[in-house]
Amino acid sequence: MSFERHGVNAWLEIEARGASDRVALESVHGELMTKKTALVTGAGGGLGHATVERLVAHGWKVFEADISKEMLRSSIHDPDVVPVVMDVTDNDSIEGAYDAIASQTDRLAAIVKFAGVLGVGSLTDIPEERLARILDINVLGTYRVNT
């Protein structure tokens, strides 16, 4: 991987009514990033997909990532949207995705992590295997994408 992906501070605020959209990105040194390139994990889901759409509308190039190409919503036909397969439970998949991204850009201004699964019910009612999968994707997946 030929670009730095550690130490980036990013925030994205989008009000539901669309009255106010604000995107600000800062490097570790507090400088405004001039290259607007982002990775969005979980881009096949509702929040991830909406984030991809919003970032592209604001002039960003976005690498949309999900566990398979079939999961990604191909409704965004824009040269600034690049589909990337990334399984956040698999370090080799993450490294492969970062290698693919690094072949097209030298830096990411933001990494937006929406990869996740929902666990419904009381913690004591969720089978251990299901809980392990939820934690693997939602918690460890976020960790893996950052390291």
mmCIF file of all heavy atoms in Angstrom, residues 25-74:
data_model
loop_
_atom_site.group_PDB
_atom_site.id
_atom_site.type_symbol
_atom_site.label_atom_id
_atom_site.label_comp_id
_atom_site.label_asym_id
_atom_site.label_seq_id
_atom_site.Cartn_x
_atom_site.Cartn_y
_atom_site.Cartn_z
ATOM 1 N N LEU A 25 -12.798 17.872 6.129
ATOM 2 C CA LEU A 25 -11.768 16.880 6.362
ATOM 3 C C LEU A 25 -10.485 17.588 6.720
ATOM 4 O O LEU A 25 -10.132 18.594 6.114
ATOM 5 C CB LEU A 25 -11.567 16.025 5.119
ATOM 6 C CG LEU A 25 -12.787 15.170 4.852
ATOM 7 C CD1 LEU A 25 -12.854 14.770 3.409
ATOM 8 C CD2 LEU A 25 -12.758 13.971 5.746
ATOM 9 N N GLU A 26 -9.799 17.061 7.693
ATOM 10 C CA GLU A 26 -8.533 17.632 8.089
ATOM 11 C C GLU A 26 -7.489 16.539 8.152
ATOM 12 O O GLU A 26 -7.772 15.418 8.519
ATOM 13 C CB GLU A 26 -8.657 18.274 9.474
ATOM 14 C CG GLU A 26 -9.632 19.419 9.531
ATOM 15 C CD GLU A 26 -9.734 19.987 10.936
ATOM 16 O OE1 GLU A 26 -8.905 19.625 11.777
ATOM 17 O OE2 GLU A 26 -10.646 20.773 11.159
ATOM 18 N N SER A 27 -6.280 16.880 7.797
ATOM 19 C CA SER A 27 -5.177 15.944 7.976
ATOM 20 C C SER A 27 -4.751 16.016 9.432
ATOM 21 O O SER A 27 -5.258 16.810 10.217
ATOM 22 C CB SER A 27 -4.013 16.310 7.065
ATOM 23 O OG SER A 27 -3.382 17.479 7.554
ATOM 24 N N VAL A 28 -3.775 15.216 9.783
ATOM 25 C CA VAL A 28 -3.276 15.216 11.152
ATOM 26 C C VAL A 28 -2.713 16.582 11.512
ATOM 27 O O VAL A 28 -2.732 16.969 12.660
ATOM 28 C CB VAL A 28 -2.161 14.167 11.330
ATOM 29 C CG1 VAL A 28 -2.242 13.495 12.669
ATOM 30 C CG2 VAL A 28 -2.125 13.174 10.211
ATOM 31 N N HIS A 29 -2.245 17.313 10.516
ATOM 32 C CA HIS A 29 -1.647 18.615 10.751
ATOM 33 C C HIS A 29 -2.678 19.738 10.729
ATOM 34 O O HIS A 29 -2.308 20.905 10.845
ATOM 35 C CB HIS A 29 -0.561 18.881 9.706
ATOM 36 C CG HIS A 29 0.423 17.767 9.610
ATOM 37 N ND1 HIS A 29 1.308 17.468 10.617
ATOM 38 C CD2 HIS A 29 0.620 16.847 8.645
ATOM 39 C CE1 HIS A 29 2.028 16.424 10.265
ATOM 40 N NE2 HIS A 29 1.629 16.023 9.076
ATOM 41 N N GLY A 30 -3.938 19.420 10.587
ATOM 42 C CA GLY A 30 -4.995 20.419 10.601
ATOM 43 C C GLY A 30 -5.186 21.143 9.287
ATOM 44 O O GLY A 30 -5.932 22.103 9.218
ATOM 45 N N GLU A 31 -4.523 20.688 8.224
ATOM 46 C CA GLU A 31 -4.674 21.344 6.930
ATOM 47 C C GLU A 31 -5.878 20.762 6.200
ATOM 48 O O GLU A 31 -6.116 19.570 6.256
ATOM 49 C CB GLU A 31 -3.427 21.110 6.082
ATOM 50 C CG GLU A 31 -2.171 21.646 6.713
ATOM 51 C CD GLU A 31 -0.921 21.134 6.026
ATOM 52 O OE1 GLU A 31 -1.043 20.296 5.111
ATOM 53 O OE2 GLU A 31 0.158 21.563 6.422
ATOM 54 N N LEU A 32 -6.596 21.613 5.509
ATOM 55 C CA LEU A 32 -7.720 21.136 4.711
ATOM 56 C C LEU A 32 -7.179 20.319 3.547
ATOM 57 O O LEU A 32 -6.253 20.732 2.867
ATOM 58 C CB LEU A 32 -8.548 22.316 4.191
ATOM 59 C CG LEU A 32 -9.868 21.964 3.534
ATOM 60 C CD1 LEU A 32 -10.784 21.277 4.548
ATOM 61 C CD2 LEU A 32 -10.537 23.211 3.004
ATOM 62 N N MET A 33 -7.728 19.137 3.347
ATOM 63 C CA MET A 33 -7.275 18.265 2.282
ATOM 64 C C MET A 33 -7.762 18.814 0.953
ATOM 65 O O MET A 33 -8.912 19.188 0.819
ATOM 66 C CB MET A 33 -7.818 16.846 2.478
ATOM 67 C CG MET A 33 -7.472 16.231 3.813
ATOM 68 S SD MET A 33 -5.738 15.967 4.003
ATOM 69 C CE MET A 33 -5.622 14.350 3.300
ATOM 70 N N THR A 34 -6.889 18.865 -0.034
ATOM 71 C CA THR A 34 -7.294 19.365 -1.337
ATOM 72 C C THR A 34 -7.822 18.240 -2.221
ATOM 73 O O THR A 34 -8.663 18.472 -3.057
ATOM 74 C CB THR A 34 -6.129 20.070 -2.040
ATOM 75 O OG1 THR A 34 -5.029 19.171 -2.097
ATOM 76 C CG2 THR A 34 -5.729 21.318 -1.281
ATOM 77 N N LYS A 35 -7.325 17.039 -2.046
ATOM 78 C CA LYS A 35 -7.801 15.896 -2.827
ATOM 79 C C LYS A 35 -8.937 15.253 -2.053
ATOM 80 O O LYS A 35 -8.737 14.735 -0.979
ATOM 81 C CB LYS A 35 -6.683 14.891 -3.064
ATOM 82 C CG LYS A 35 -7.123 13.696 -3.861
ATOM 83 C CD LYS A 35 -5.975 13.165 -4.676
ATOM 84 C CE LYS A 35 -6.354 11.919 -5.389
ATOM 85 N NZ LYS A 35 -7.020 12.179 -6.653
ATOM 86 N N LYS A 36 -10.098 15.272 -2.636
ATOM 87 C CA LYS A 36 -11.275 14.731 -1.970
ATOM 88 C C LYS A 36 -11.513 13.304 -2.443
ATOM 89 O O LYS A 36 -12.231 13.071 -3.401
ATOM 90 C CB LYS A 36 -12.485 15.596 -2.250
ATOM 91 C CG LYS A 36 -12.390 16.988 -1.694
ATOM 92 C CD LYS A 36 -13.632 17.766 -2.055
ATOM 93 C CE LYS A 36 -13.585 19.175 -1.561
ATOM 94 N NZ LYS A 36 -14.803 19.897 -1.914
ATOM 95 N N THR A 37 -10.876 12.357 -1.780
ATOM 96 C CA THR A 37 -11.023 10.957 -2.112
ATOM 97 C C THR A 37 -11.377 10.206 -0.843
ATOM 98 O O THR A 37 -10.715 10.367 0.179
ATOM 99 C CB THR A 37 -9.723 10.387 -2.716
ATOM 100 O OG1 THR A 37 -9.357 11.184 -3.834
ATOM 101 C CG2 THR A 37 -9.897 8.962 -3.158
ATOM 102 N N ALA A 38 -12.424 9.380 -0.901
ATOM 103 C CA ALA A 38 -12.893 8.669 0.284
ATOM 104 C C ALA A 38 -13.113 7.199 -0.011
ATOM 105 O O ALA A 38 -13.398 6.810 -1.141
ATOM 106 C CB ALA A 38 -14.200 9.290 0.788
ATOM 107 N N LEU A 39 -13.012 6.402 1.039
ATOM 108 C CA LEU A 39 -13.413 5.007 1.029
ATOM 109 C C LEU A 39 -14.638 4.896 1.910
ATOM 110 O O LEU A 39 -14.625 5.389 3.044
ATOM 111 C CB LEU A 39 -12.286 4.119 1.580
ATOM 112 C CG LEU A 39 -12.674 2.688 1.971
ATOM 113 C CD1 LEU A 39 -13.113 1.882 0.751
ATOM 114 C CD2 LEU A 39 -11.523 2.006 2.695
ATOM 115 N N VAL A 40 -15.689 4.275 1.411
ATOM 116 C CA VAL A 40 -16.898 4.042 2.200
ATOM 117 C C VAL A 40 -17.113 2.535 2.268
ATOM 118 O O VAL A 40 -17.366 1.901 1.240
ATOM 119 C CB VAL A 40 -18.142 4.733 1.593
ATOM 120 C CG1 VAL A 40 -19.390 4.419 2.420
ATOM 121 C CG2 VAL A 40 -17.928 6.240 1.505
ATOM 122 N N THR A 41 -17.002 1.954 3.470
ATOM 123 C CA THR A 41 -17.297 0.533 3.630
ATOM 124 C C THR A 41 -18.792 0.373 3.896
ATOM 125 O O THR A 41 -19.460 1.305 4.342
ATOM 126 C CB THR A 41 -16.501 -0.105 4.781
ATOM 127 O OG1 THR A 41 -16.957 0.416 6.036
ATOM 128 C CG2 THR A 41 -15.010 0.137 4.626
ATOM 129 N N GLY A 42 -19.315 -0.792 3.594
ATOM 130 C CA GLY A 42 -20.747 -1.010 3.743
ATOM 131 C C GLY A 42 -21.547 -0.192 2.760
ATOM 132 O O GLY A 42 -22.703 0.173 3.007
ATOM 133 N N ALA A 43 -20.948 0.092 1.599
ATOM 134 C CA ALA A 43 -21.574 0.977 0.614
ATOM 135 C C ALA A 43 -22.799 0.358 -0.044
ATOM 136 O O ALA A 43 -23.571 1.054 -0.687
ATOM 137 C CB ALA A 43 -20.561 1.383 -0.452
ATOM 138 N N GLY A 44 -23.008 -0.945 0.134
ATOM 139 C CA GLY A 44 -24.190 -1.589 -0.430
ATOM 140 C C GLY A 44 -25.429 -1.387 0.412
ATOM 141 O O GLY A 44 -26.545 -1.608 -0.045
ATOM 142 N N GLY A 45 -25.259 -0.945 1.647
ATOM 143 C CA GLY A 45 -26.394 -0.709 2.540
ATOM 144 C C GLY A 45 -26.920 0.707 2.418
ATOM 145 O O GLY A 45 -26.347 1.546 1.716
ATOM 146 N N GLY A 46 -27.999 0.976 3.106
ATOM 147 C CA GLY A 46 -28.685 2.266 3.010
ATOM 148 C C GLY A 46 -27.829 3.467 3.367
ATOM 149 O O GLY A 46 -27.705 4.412 2.587
ATOM 150 N N LEU A 47 -27.217 3.464 4.561
ATOM 151 C CA LEU A 47 -26.406 4.608 4.982
ATOM 152 C C LEU A 47 -25.145 4.743 4.141
ATOM 153 O O LEU A 47 -24.760 5.842 3.760
ATOM 154 C CB LEU A 47 -26.026 4.478 6.463
ATOM 155 C CG LEU A 47 -27.160 4.657 7.458
ATOM 156 C CD1 LEU A 47 -26.684 4.329 8.864
ATOM 157 C CD2 LEU A 47 -27.691 6.075 7.409
ATOM 158 N N GLY A 48 -24.501 3.612 3.855
ATOM 159 C CA GLY A 48 -23.292 3.651 3.044
ATOM 160 C C GLY A 48 -23.574 4.178 1.645
ATOM 161 O O GLY A 48 -22.848 5.031 1.121
ATOM 162 N N HIS A 49 -24.632 3.672 1.036
ATOM 163 C CA HIS A 49 -25.003 4.106 -0.316
ATOM 164 C C HIS A 49 -25.355 5.593 -0.338
ATOM 165 O O HIS A 49 -24.919 6.328 -1.231
ATOM 166 C CB HIS A 49 -26.169 3.269 -0.827
ATOM 167 C CG HIS A 49 -26.561 3.589 -2.224
ATOM 168 N ND1 HIS A 49 -25.787 3.255 -3.313
ATOM 169 C CD2 HIS A 49 -27.654 4.236 -2.720
ATOM 170 C CE1 HIS A 49 -26.390 3.680 -4.420
ATOM 171 N NE2 HIS A 49 -27.513 4.268 -4.075
ATOM 172 N N ALA A 50 -26.122 6.028 0.642
ATOM 173 C CA ALA A 50 -26.497 7.450 0.716
ATOM 174 C C ALA A 50 -25.263 8.329 0.907
ATOM 175 O O ALA A 50 -25.188 9.430 0.341
ATOM 176 C CB ALA A 50 -27.494 7.669 1.852
ATOM 177 N N THR A 51 -24.299 7.843 1.671
ATOM 178 C CA THR A 51 -23.065 8.600 1.878
ATOM 179 C C THR A 51 -22.269 8.706 0.585
ATOM 180 O O THR A 51 -21.746 9.775 0.258
ATOM 181 C CB THR A 51 -22.221 7.948 2.991
ATOM 182 O OG1 THR A 51 -22.993 7.920 4.190
ATOM 183 C CG2 THR A 51 -20.933 8.713 3.230
ATOM 184 N N VAL A 52 -22.183 7.606 -0.156
ATOM 185 C CA VAL A 52 -21.512 7.635 -1.455
ATOM 186 C C VAL A 52 -22.183 8.671 -2.360
ATOM 187 O O VAL A 52 -21.509 9.524 -2.956
ATOM 188 C CB VAL A 52 -21.518 6.241 -2.127
ATOM 189 C CG1 VAL A 52 -21.043 6.330 -3.572
ATOM 190 C CG2 VAL A 52 -20.664 5.256 -1.344
ATOM 191 N N GLU A 53 -23.491 8.623 -2.444
ATOM 192 C CA GLU A 53 -24.221 9.581 -3.292
ATOM 193 C C GLU A 53 -23.943 11.019 -2.875
ATOM 194 O O GLU A 53 -23.731 11.891 -3.717
ATOM 195 C CB GLU A 53 -25.727 9.315 -3.221
ATOM 196 C CG GLU A 53 -26.170 8.083 -3.971
ATOM 197 C CD GLU A 53 -27.671 7.869 -3.891
ATOM 198 O OE1 GLU A 53 -28.283 8.192 -2.843
ATOM 199 O OE2 GLU A 53 -28.232 7.368 -4.880
ATOM 200 N N ARG A 54 -23.968 11.269 -1.577
ATOM 201 C CA ARG A 54 -23.770 12.636 -1.070
ATOM 202 C C ARG A 54 -22.351 13.127 -1.329
ATOM 203 O O ARG A 54 -22.148 14.261 -1.751
ATOM 204 C CB ARG A 54 -24.100 12.672 0.428
ATOM 205 C CG ARG A 54 -24.071 14.044 1.066
ATOM 206 C CD ARG A 54 -25.024 15.045 0.408
ATOM 207 N NE ARG A 54 -26.371 14.577 0.355
ATOM 208 C CZ ARG A 54 -27.375 15.030 1.084
ATOM 209 N NH1 ARG A 54 -27.165 15.985 1.949
ATOM 210 N NH2 ARG A 54 -28.574 14.541 0.945
ATOM 211 N N LEU A 55 -21.368 12.266 -1.092
ATOM 212 C CA LEU A 55 -19.983 12.667 -1.331
ATOM 213 C C LEU A 55 -19.742 12.962 -2.811
ATOM 214 O O LEU A 55 -19.105 13.963 -3.153
ATOM 215 C CB LEU A 55 -19.022 11.584 -0.830
ATOM 216 C CG LEU A 55 -18.910 11.450 0.688
ATOM 217 C CD1 LEU A 55 -18.104 10.219 1.056
ATOM 218 C CD2 LEU A 55 -18.303 12.700 1.307
ATOM 219 N N VAL A 56 -20.267 12.117 -3.695
ATOM 220 C CA VAL A 56 -20.106 12.327 -5.133
ATOM 221 C C VAL A 56 -20.786 13.637 -5.543
ATOM 222 O O VAL A 56 -20.247 14.405 -6.338
ATOM 223 C CB VAL A 56 -20.654 11.129 -5.933
ATOM 224 C CG1 VAL A 56 -20.756 11.441 -7.415
ATOM 225 C CG2 VAL A 56 -19.765 9.911 -5.718
ATOM 226 N N ALA A 57 -21.946 13.905 -4.981
ATOM 227 C CA ALA A 57 -22.656 15.154 -5.287
ATOM 228 C C ALA A 57 -21.842 16.380 -4.882
ATOM 229 O O ALA A 57 -22.018 17.462 -5.447
ATOM 230 C CB ALA A 57 -24.025 15.169 -4.602
ATOM 231 N N HIS A 58 -20.941 16.197 -3.909
ATOM 232 C CA HIS A 58 -20.099 17.300 -3.450
ATOM 233 C C HIS A 58 -18.708 17.263 -4.070
ATOM 234 O O HIS A 58 -17.779 17.884 -3.554
ATOM 235 C CB HIS A 58 -19.994 17.283 -1.926
ATOM 236 C CG HIS A 58 -21.235 17.789 -1.264
ATOM 237 N ND1 HIS A 58 -21.502 19.123 -1.086
ATOM 238 C CD2 HIS A 58 -22.306 17.126 -0.782
ATOM 239 C CE1 HIS A 58 -22.676 19.266 -0.490
ATOM 240 N NE2 HIS A 58 -23.186 18.067 -0.307
ATOM 241 N N GLY A 59 -18.556 16.497 -5.153
ATOM 242 C CA GLY A 59 -17.321 16.521 -5.904
ATOM 243 C C GLY A 59 -16.240 15.544 -5.471
ATOM 244 O O GLY A 59 -15.095 15.675 -5.883
ATOM 245 N N TRP A 60 -16.591 14.567 -4.655
ATOM 246 C CA TRP A 60 -15.607 13.595 -4.182
ATOM 247 C C TRP A 60 -15.458 12.437 -5.153
ATOM 248 O O TRP A 60 -16.406 12.070 -5.842
ATOM 249 C CB TRP A 60 -16.066 13.011 -2.850
ATOM 250 C CG TRP A 60 -15.979 13.951 -1.704
ATOM 251 C CD1 TRP A 60 -16.747 15.049 -1.494
ATOM 252 C CD2 TRP A 60 -15.092 13.865 -0.611
ATOM 253 N NE1 TRP A 60 -16.387 15.656 -0.329
ATOM 254 C CE2 TRP A 60 -15.370 14.942 0.237
ATOM 255 C CE3 TRP A 60 -14.090 12.967 -0.262
ATOM 256 C CZ2 TRP A 60 -14.671 15.158 1.410
ATOM 257 C CZ3 TRP A 60 -13.402 13.178 0.918
ATOM 258 C CH2 TRP A 60 -13.687 14.271 1.735
ATOM 259 N N LYS A 61 -14.284 11.836 -5.171
ATOM 260 C CA LYS A 61 -14.091 10.529 -5.784
ATOM 261 C C LYS A 61 -14.242 9.527 -4.641
ATOM 262 O O LYS A 61 -13.640 9.676 -3.585
ATOM 263 C CB LYS A 61 -12.704 10.388 -6.406
ATOM 264 C CG LYS A 61 -12.471 9.000 -6.974
ATOM 265 C CD LYS A 61 -11.168 8.904 -7.739
ATOM 266 C CE LYS A 61 -11.091 7.526 -8.362
ATOM 267 N NZ LYS A 61 -10.112 7.478 -9.431
ATOM 268 N N VAL A 62 -15.081 8.508 -4.847
ATOM 269 C CA VAL A 62 -15.402 7.580 -3.759
ATOM 270 C C VAL A 62 -15.131 6.142 -4.183
ATOM 271 O O VAL A 62 -15.583 5.700 -5.242
ATOM 272 C CB VAL A 62 -16.881 7.711 -3.331
ATOM 273 C CG1 VAL A 62 -17.209 6.744 -2.206
ATOM 274 C CG2 VAL A 62 -17.191 9.147 -2.909
ATOM 275 N N PHE A 63 -14.398 5.435 -3.342
ATOM 276 C CA PHE A 63 -14.236 3.999 -3.485
ATOM 277 C C PHE A 63 -15.307 3.373 -2.609
ATOM 278 O O PHE A 63 -15.259 3.492 -1.379
ATOM 279 C CB PHE A 63 -12.829 3.565 -3.048
ATOM 280 C CG PHE A 63 -11.763 4.086 -3.954
ATOM 281 C CD1 PHE A 63 -11.150 5.303 -3.700
ATOM 282 C CD2 PHE A 63 -11.389 3.373 -5.083
ATOM 283 C CE1 PHE A 63 -10.179 5.799 -4.549
ATOM 284 C CE2 PHE A 63 -10.414 3.868 -5.945
ATOM 285 C CZ PHE A 63 -9.808 5.079 -5.677
ATOM 286 N N GLU A 64 -16.320 2.785 -3.248
ATOM 287 C CA GLU A 64 -17.416 2.174 -2.495
ATOM 288 C C GLU A 64 -17.078 0.705 -2.289
ATOM 289 O O GLU A 64 -16.811 -0.024 -3.229
ATOM 290 C CB GLU A 64 -18.760 2.344 -3.194
ATOM 291 C CG GLU A 64 -18.852 1.738 -4.565
ATOM 292 C CD GLU A 64 -20.257 1.728 -5.124
ATOM 293 O OE1 GLU A 64 -21.208 2.170 -4.459
ATOM 294 O OE2 GLU A 64 -20.409 1.257 -6.260
ATOM 295 N N ALA A 65 -17.064 0.274 -1.028
ATOM 296 C CA ALA A 65 -16.643 -1.091 -0.704
ATOM 297 C C ALA A 65 -17.754 -1.856 0.000
ATOM 298 O O ALA A 65 -18.496 -1.311 0.810
ATOM 299 C CB ALA A 65 -15.404 -1.056 0.182
ATOM 300 N N ASP A 66 -17.845 -3.136 -0.354
ATOM 301 C CA ASP A 66 -18.724 -4.063 0.348
ATOM 302 C C ASP A 66 -18.196 -5.466 0.126
ATOM 303 O O ASP A 66 -17.236 -5.666 -0.613
ATOM 304 C CB ASP A 66 -20.179 -3.924 -0.104
ATOM 305 C CG ASP A 66 -21.142 -4.124 1.076
ATOM 306 O OD1 ASP A 66 -20.999 -5.137 1.800
ATOM 307 O OD2 ASP A 66 -21.998 -3.264 1.281
ATOM 308 N N ILE A 67 -18.825 -6.430 0.779
ATOM 309 C CA ILE A 67 -18.329 -7.805 0.801
ATOM 310 C C ILE A 67 -18.310 -8.467 -0.577
ATOM 311 O O ILE A 67 -17.526 -9.378 -0.830
ATOM 312 C CB ILE A 67 -19.126 -8.647 1.817
ATOM 313 C CG1 ILE A 67 -18.414 -9.965 2.108
ATOM 314 C CG2 ILE A 67 -20.552 -8.851 1.360
ATOM 315 C CD1 ILE A 67 -18.966 -10.699 3.313
ATOM 316 N N SER A 68 -19.154 -8.008 -1.496
ATOM 317 C CA SER A 68 -19.151 -8.541 -2.862
ATOM 318 C C SER A 68 -19.670 -7.466 -3.808
ATOM 319 O O SER A 68 -20.366 -6.542 -3.393
ATOM 320 C CB SER A 68 -20.035 -9.788 -2.961
ATOM 321 O OG SER A 68 -21.395 -9.435 -2.808
ATOM 322 N N LYS A 69 -19.331 -7.614 -5.077
ATOM 323 C CA LYS A 69 -19.827 -6.648 -6.068
ATOM 324 C C LYS A 69 -21.343 -6.669 -6.141
ATOM 325 O O LYS A 69 -21.972 -5.663 -6.424
ATOM 326 C CB LYS A 69 -19.220 -6.920 -7.430
ATOM 327 C CG LYS A 69 -17.788 -6.470 -7.505
ATOM 328 C CD LYS A 69 -17.422 -6.011 -8.875
ATOM 329 C CE LYS A 69 -15.976 -5.546 -8.803
ATOM 330 N NZ LYS A 69 -15.554 -4.849 -9.954
ATOM 331 N N GLU A 70 -21.945 -7.845 -5.882
ATOM 332 C CA GLU A 70 -23.412 -7.956 -5.911
ATOM 333 C C GLU A 70 -24.056 -7.112 -4.809
ATOM 334 O O GLU A 70 -25.183 -6.655 -4.955
ATOM 335 C CB GLU A 70 -23.845 -9.416 -5.770
ATOM 336 C CG GLU A 70 -23.471 -10.304 -6.947
ATOM 337 C CD GLU A 70 -21.990 -10.693 -6.970
ATOM 338 O OE1 GLU A 70 -21.376 -10.824 -5.895
ATOM 339 O OE2 GLU A 70 -21.456 -10.848 -8.071
ATOM 340 N N MET A 71 -23.345 -6.917 -3.709
ATOM 341 C CA MET A 71 -23.887 -6.111 -2.606
ATOM 342 C C MET A 71 -23.894 -4.614 -2.929
ATOM 343 O O MET A 71 -24.671 -3.856 -2.380
ATOM 344 C CB MET A 71 -23.067 -6.320 -1.326
ATOM 345 C CG MET A 71 -23.222 -7.687 -0.701
ATOM 346 S SD MET A 71 -24.868 -7.949 -0.013
ATOM 347 C CE MET A 71 -24.936 -6.710 1.254
ATOM 348 N N LEU A 72 -23.003 -4.201 -3.811
ATOM 349 C CA LEU A 72 -22.919 -2.785 -4.141
ATOM 350 C C LEU A 72 -24.068 -2.403 -5.060
ATOM 351 O O LEU A 72 -24.428 -3.135 -5.964
ATOM 352 C CB LEU A 72 -21.577 -2.477 -4.809
ATOM 353 C CG LEU A 72 -20.371 -2.691 -3.901
ATOM 354 C CD1 LEU A 72 -19.096 -2.609 -4.719
ATOM 355 C CD2 LEU A 72 -20.354 -1.694 -2.764
ATOM 356 N N ARG A 73 -24.634 -1.264 -4.804
ATOM 357 C CA ARG A 73 -25.732 -0.772 -5.637
ATOM 358 C C ARG A 73 -25.140 -0.083 -6.845
ATOM 359 O O ARG A 73 -24.541 0.968 -6.720
ATOM 360 C CB ARG A 73 -26.594 0.200 -4.846
ATOM 361 C CG ARG A 73 -27.236 -0.452 -3.654
ATOM 362 C CD ARG A 73 -28.085 0.556 -2.948
ATOM 363 N NE ARG A 73 -28.625 -0.035 -1.741
ATOM 364 C CZ ARG A 73 -29.544 0.549 -1.011
ATOM 365 N NH1 ARG A 73 -30.008 1.721 -1.335
ATOM 366 N NH2 ARG A 73 -29.989 -0.042 0.072
ATOM 367 N N SER A 74 -25.283 -0.666 -7.971
ATOM 368 C CA SER A 74 -24.667 -0.135 -9.182
ATOM 369 C C SER A 74 -25.480 0.983 -9.823
ATOM 370 O O SER A 74 -25.316 1.283 -10.987
ATOM 371 C CB SER A 74 -24.467 -1.277 -10.184
ATOM 372 O OG SER A 74 -23.620 -2.237 -9.637
#
